[in-house]
Amino acid sequence: MDVDFKADKDLAKDFLSNFTDINGDATYMNILQEVANRKTRAVQIDVEDLFNYKDADEQFILRVTENTRRYISLFADAIDELLPEPTEAFSDDDHDILLTQRSEERKDSDGVDPRQRMPCEIKRFFEVYIRASSKGRLYTIREVKASYIGQLVNVSGIITRCSDVKPLMQVAVYTCEDCGCEIYQEVTARVFMPRIECPTKRCEVNRNKGNLILQQRASKFLKFQEAKIQELAEHVPKGHIPRTMTVHFRGELTRKVAPGDIVELSGIFLPIPYTGFRALRAGLVADTFLEAMSVNHFKKKYDQYELRDEEDEQIMRLAEDGDIYSKLARSLAPEIFGHEDIKKALLLLLVGAPHRKLKDGMKIRGDLHICLMGDPGVAKSQLLKHIINVAPRGVYTTGKGSSGVGLTAAVQRDPVTNEMVLEGGALVLADMGICAIDEFDKMDESDRTAIHEVMEQQTVSIAKAGITTSLNARTAILAAANPAWGRYDLRRTPSENINLPPALLSRFDILWLILDKADMDNDLEMARHVVYVHQKRESPALGFTPLQPSIMRAYISSARRFSPYVPRELEEYIASAYSSIRQEEAKTNAPHSYTTVRTLLSILRISAALARLRFSNTVAQSDVDEALRLMQMSKFSLYTDDRQRSGLDAISDIYSILRDEAARSNKTDVSYANALNWISRKGYSETQLKECLEEYASLNVWQIHPHSFDIRFIDA
């Protein structure tokens, strides 16, 4: 079937000039006006818009999607004719000056040699992309076969490797040494054969083989980047390994992807012949690649979130909800029973605290690091997987499956340039994101030391194969580990059970111990929950609709814009809280944790993250109390065990806590808020406090205010 390209070009012109969106705006003419004003370079034509255009028939759309390369040049020719005059002033660049000079020279010369005609590409300062319809089928890499060559396809996968952005020659310009004419050569492939002899009439008449010199400055170059995209794990059939495909990005699409990004690409599937020695080996076999036309990220980075009006309203409504902290935490992995405080800590890990940079250049990290240590079967790995799904950038590795080099950076030989290059490991790929390391205790000691620098300095320093550099690894680390003997042994001290060096433990903001203890009521409730999830494939009702990961990401992105600071009136409160933790640790023979100055920084970080969740720029005392409570609750399962050994019941223990605190501050009156704060740090609830107040008031130990519940000791 013969195709009338002239009629198709006229249809393309009509479409560009007449297409309007829902609001009645001329979409493409507005874009062309911005191109003329040099505010943008990319003109992206959506196939969806072609479907909605009344004059475009199905055959035309089919031709556009099946012969995309040809129709890109056709749309570019249409744009050349439709491009409006600029409405705003702009400064000329080198390209404009050269074009003006050439056109003036053409006016002076009598007749232009057809071989000296300037190609359209050199005059254009825009690029045309045709984006596949979002309603079209999304292919996996192994589904894109030979029958799709030349067609527009939608492919999803994960970016595994990206080259640097390099200039690619689009139009080569030569000057003849003898006749002084400019000769143009369009370059359509990755390689080209440069011209040697001048083809103009003047040199032909003079029977001169004019020597041509390539003019680098007058030639037109395009930004070019090569990447590798790999199949997602869920798309790989049983027993197969993931396939990869080469992707070429040109012009404005460069620098849009980074290794580790999960993307949806629409592009033209094309063959490319091998060159050089590989061509001799390959014979007639050609390689294939995807020429990218559009890039769509499945998960946007926090700083790239642009909220629409309805999303903005929804987030403001959530922020005004007094119980948003608890709701967000319970929306994390709602299928997992209990672990409410752990989920709160993981929510704060996602939010993080602002990074501090001092005047002398010293940096204090804002990312939180959490280690979940517990018995087998307490859903540690499931929590890790869920957090990676929610986070916009997350890398999941396991202890045995990762080497020190795999976590930091490896030196490899580049297959294209044959030079030694650095390939970032898991921690570098998770920069500005979360790195989840499962089976942390199974890692070799030599590999684990690679994490020390990342956790505090947030860089990876390399001195290998002549490459000495420092890579950014501003990542929050979430580790899961088992105790030394598989299960926590209550007969041994905590330091014997937690089989990690103190240097590493002090770097974790929270080390959460999860002990699996037999409890009739709790076990019954949990068993019912698990059976319900198996039957219905959803979590039981939480009393509210769990927030979707996309809404959580949007809320967290809004929260991360705040940079809370600690007000002066809280300084003394935080300092005294820290010193009391140190004193308590000094009293016990076998401390449950190592309290260092890093613990104080951890309290400040967790408090700042809580302030961010409230959309506040100042840290409140309630934030500090909640931070101290979370740090205390992380060892809650051990404290309950200690109490059982000492024979104290909850009521007696609460009384002794209140008495000791009152004696320390030398006061006979204790406010209810302070009492609740003290006992919640030790893992007790408000109902237990009220029971204690009633019981000891009946024994005439203290008096209780009828309205405020404040306490006054009688035997002071």
Side-chain angles (χ1 to χ4, degrees):
M1 186 184 79
D2 291 333
V3 178
D4 187 356
F5 285 115
K6 192 174 184 308
D8 280 358
K9 185 181 168 183
D10 292 338
L11 183 55
K13 276 173 70 178
D14 287 344
F15 166 73
L16 290 168
S17 52
N18 298 328
F19 181 79
T20 55
D21 60 10
I22 304 163
N23 303 325
D25 293 332
T27 314
Y28 292 102
M29 287 313 291
N30 291 346
I31 293 170
L32 295 188
Q33 189 59 64
E34 287 198 349
V35 167
N37 295 340
R38 305 295 169 89
K39 286 190 172 174
T40 183
R41 291 179 66 92
V43 180
Q44 198 151 55
I45 292 152
D46 205 326
V47 173
E48 196 93 11
D49 293 342
L50 285 172
F51 275 114
N52 297 334
Y53 187 57
K54 59 182 187 304
D55 295 342
D57 59 346
E58 283 186 19
Q59 286 302 313
F60 174 71
I61 296 165
L62 196 68
R63 290 198 293 276
V64 170
T65 53
E66 291 194 347
N67 190 7
T68 314
R69 200 85 180 266
R70 177 75 180 84
Y71 277 82
I72 283 174
S73 60
L74 196 133
F75 271 102
D77 291 341
I79 290 168
D80 283 336
E81 294 175 26
L82 288 171
L83 204 63
E85 288 297 315
T87 54
E88 294 175 23
F90 56 86
S91 55
D92 289 353
D93 58 7
D94 293 359
H95 193 65
D96 294 318
I97 295 162
L98 280 165
L99 272 178
T100 315
Q101 197 178 326
R102 283 168 187 154
S103 50
E104 281 173 4
E105 283 172 8
R106 293 288 152 91
K107 284 175 192 170
D108 300 340
S109 59
D110 305 330
V112 179
D113 187 335
R115 291 164 195 173
Q116 282 178 264
R117 191 166 287 128
M118 211 185 289
C120 301
E121 280 296 337
I122 208 160
K123 298 178 197 167
R124 287 177 188 147
F125 40 85
F126 60 86
E127 291 142 20
V128 181
Y129 304 105
I130 296 178
R131 183 169 61 190
S133 168
S134 56
K135 292 174 185 170
R137 190 180 160 200
L138 191 63
Y139 293 95
T140 63
I141 290 170
R142 66 180 65 229
E143 286 173 342
V144 182
K145 297 193 165 65
S147 57
Y148 294 106
I149 281 183
Q151 294 184 21
L152 198 60
V153 288
N154 261 348
V155 176
S156 66
I158 183 167
I159 302 289
T160 53
R161 179 180 247 173
C162 268
S163 71
D164 294 336
V165 177
K166 292 195 167 71
L168 179 75
M169 192 172 276
Q170 201 175 14
V171 180
V173 180
Y174 305 91
T175 314
C176 176
E177 280 189 329
D178 293 342
C179 64
C181 295
E182 258 189 356
I183 310 298
Y184 304 96
Q185 180 187 9
E186 281 195 73
V187 181
T188 53
R190 285 282 299 276
V191 288
F192 75 107
M193 180 60 77
R195 285 188 165 172
I196 301 162
E197 292 179 9
C198 178
T200 57
K201 279 183 181 173
R202 196 182 293 181
C203 281
E204 216 174 279
V205 169
N206 295 341
R207 293 189 180 176
N208 228 350
K209 288 184 179 177
N211 188 29
L212 293 180
I213 295 162
L214 182 65
Q215 298 292 333
Q216 299 278 8
R217 197 168 169 202
S219 301
K220 187 180 178 186
F221 291 90
L222 200 63
K223 288 184 282 187
F224 177 81
Q225 189 179 22
E226 194 174 68
K228 281 261 193 291
I229 185 169
Q230 184 179 296
E231 270 182 315
L232 294 169
E234 57 262 31
H235 296 158
V236 183
K238 291 172 189 168
H240 290 249
I241 59 165
R243 288 196 186 170
T244 57
M245 184 190 274
T246 307
V247 185
H248 291 176
F249 296 98
R250 292 165 191 258
E252 297 302 293
L253 286 178
T254 52
R255 297 192 177 94
K256 286 277 176 79
V257 296
D261 289 355
I262 298 172
V263 292
E264 180 189 316
L265 300 174
S266 81
I268 314 166
F269 187 54
L270 293 167
I272 185 169
Y274 287 108
T275 54
F277 288 113
R278 289 173 76 190
L280 297 173
R281 262 211 316 266
L284 299 174
V285 178
D287 200 1
T288 53
F289 72 99
L290 189 79
E291 188 166 313
M293 290 283 120
S294 76
V295 179
N296 183 26
H297 288 262
F298 278 108
K299 291 186 201 166
K300 288 181 184 161
K301 293 177 185 171
Y302 288 130
D303 51 3
Q304 289 175 352
Y305 262 91
E306 290 175 9
L307 300 175
R308 293 191 294 276
D309 293 340
E310 60 268 21
E311 287 179 323
D312 220 6
E313 282 174 27
Q314 189 180 4
I315 279 161
M316 290 323 291
R317 274 202 309 276
L318 286 171
E320 286 161 13
D321 184 347
D323 199 26
I324 185 61
Y325 173 47
S326 175
K327 277 186 182 176
L328 283 167
R330 287 165 70 194
S331 298
L332 282 175
E335 297 80 20
I336 294 171
F337 175 76
H339 292 331
E340 274 202 25
D341 283 324
I342 298 171
K343 288 178 185 177
K344 283 180 179 175
L346 295 179
L347 172 66
L348 297 178
L349 175 94
L350 286 167
V351 176
H355 293 273
R356 305 274 183 222
K357 192 170 183 181
L358 309 184
K359 286 178 183 174
D360 59 354
M362 184 182 165
K363 291 176 188 169
I364 300 172
R365 72 175 163 91
D367 293 311
L368 275 86
H369 302 315
I370 295 178
C371 181
L372 304 177
M373 179 168 279
D375 296 337
V378 289
K380 298 189 299 293
S381 301
Q382 288 292 349
L383 282 169
L384 257 67
K385 286 271 189 190
H386 190 83
I387 291 294
I388 292 300
N389 285 342
V390 173
R393 193 174 183 84
V395 177
Y396 179 89
T397 65
T398 58
K400 271 293 177 199
S402 316
S403 63
V405 169
L407 285 170
T408 54
V411 177
Q412 291 185 337
R413 198 173 286 281
D414 192 309
V416 181
T417 57
N418 216 20
E419 292 174 2
M420 298 299 270
V421 290
L422 273 180
E423 186 101 341
L427 293 168
V428 179
L429 288 182
D431 186 30
M432 303 301 278
I434 291 172
C435 183
I437 306 170
D438 208 352
E439 310 293 350
F440 194 58
D441 55 313
K442 317 280 189 307
M443 281 178 80
D444 294 332
E445 194 54 49
S446 57
D447 297 335
R448 215 185 284 143
T449 49
I451 303 172
H452 285 225
E453 184 197 359
V454 174
M455 287 180 77
E456 211 54 55
Q457 273 70 47
Q458 299 216 299
T459 54
V460 172
S461 300
I462 298 288
K464 296 176 184 176
I467 298 170
T468 308
T469 186
S470 191
L471 305 171
N472 279 330
R474 293 154 297 186
T475 174
I477 289 174
L478 174 59
N482 291 114
W485 289 275
R487 279 182 74 93
Y488 197 93
D489 190 347
L490 293 168
R491 291 163 298 179
R492 297 176 189 270
T493 60
S495 53
E496 284 177 315
N497 275 293
I498 304 165
N499 191 23
L500 294 172
L504 191 61
L505 278 182
S506 68
R507 283 172 160 83
F508 281 110
D509 295 284
I510 298 177
L511 169 72
W512 207 291
L513 288 168
I514 316 167
L515 270 62
D516 185 16
K517 289 182 177 172
D519 181 320
M520 184 71 181
D521 300 336
N522 200 30
D523 290 348
L524 258 175
E525 228 180 305
M526 185 160 126
R528 286 187 191 124
H529 179 100
V530 172
V531 172
Y532 183 93
V533 170
H534 260 263
Q535 284 177 332
K536 305 278 201 265
R537 297 187 183 180
E538 61 178 18
S539 63
L542 296 172
F544 68 98
T545 310
L547 301 172
Q548 293 298 317
S550 56
I551 295 168
M552 289 187 73
R553 278 196 288 274
Y555 187 90
I556 291 166
S557 76
S558 302
R560 285 173 73 100
R561 289 177 190 149
F562 292 87
S563 186
Y565 67 94
V566 177
R568 191 171 287 277
E569 56 267 22
L570 275 184
E571 287 175 8
E572 192 57 41
Y573 183 73
I574 294 169
S576 60
Y578 168 69
S579 62
S580 65
I581 293 171
R582 291 272 289 188
Q583 288 305 309
E584 274 181 39
E585 191 180 286
K587 286 176 193 170
T588 52
N589 298 328
H592 300 133
S593 59
Y594 301 94
T595 306
T596 62
V597 181
R598 281 182 179 148
T599 313
L600 177 59
L601 288 171
S602 301
I603 294 167
L604 292 170
R605 269 192 286 272
I606 297 165
S607 307
L610 284 157
R612 270 181 162 183
L613 273 179
R614 292 187 295 107
F615 285 5
S616 169
N617 274 321
T618 52
V619 173
Q621 186 174 333
S622 58
D623 298 327
V624 181
D625 290 341
E626 175 62 12
L628 292 166
R629 188 190 74 81
L630 279 176
M631 296 189 88
Q632 207 71 29
M633 287 303 287
S634 63
K635 313 288 183 306
F636 176 62
S637 44
L638 285 182
Y639 292 123
T640 51
D641 194 69
D642 286 353
R643 285 179 202 125
Q644 283 168 4
R645 282 189 201 161
S646 62
L648 279 176
D649 66 315
I651 307 288
S652 311
D653 201 21
I654 290 171
Y655 168 69
S656 58
I657 291 166
L658 297 181
R659 188 195 57 210
D660 293 348
E661 289 289 350
R664 188 182 298 168
S665 56
N666 212 6
K667 288 179 183 174
T668 54
D669 293 350
V670 176
S671 72
Y672 181 73
N674 278 350
L676 185 60
N677 180 17
W678 293 333
I679 64 117
S680 62
R681 282 194 218 165
K682 301 288 184 188
Y684 290 117
S685 65
E686 192 172 357
T687 50
Q688 287 172 316
L689 172 64
K690 284 185 176 171
E691 275 179 46
C692 176
L693 295 182
E694 283 171 18
E695 190 167 316
Y696 280 86
S698 64
L699 295 171
N700 236 4
V701 173
W702 52 43
Q703 290 174 338
I704 309 296
H705 192 280
H707 303 299
S708 63
F709 297 113
D710 290 345
I711 306 160
R712 169 168 284 181
F713 283 87
I714 295 169
D715 58 346

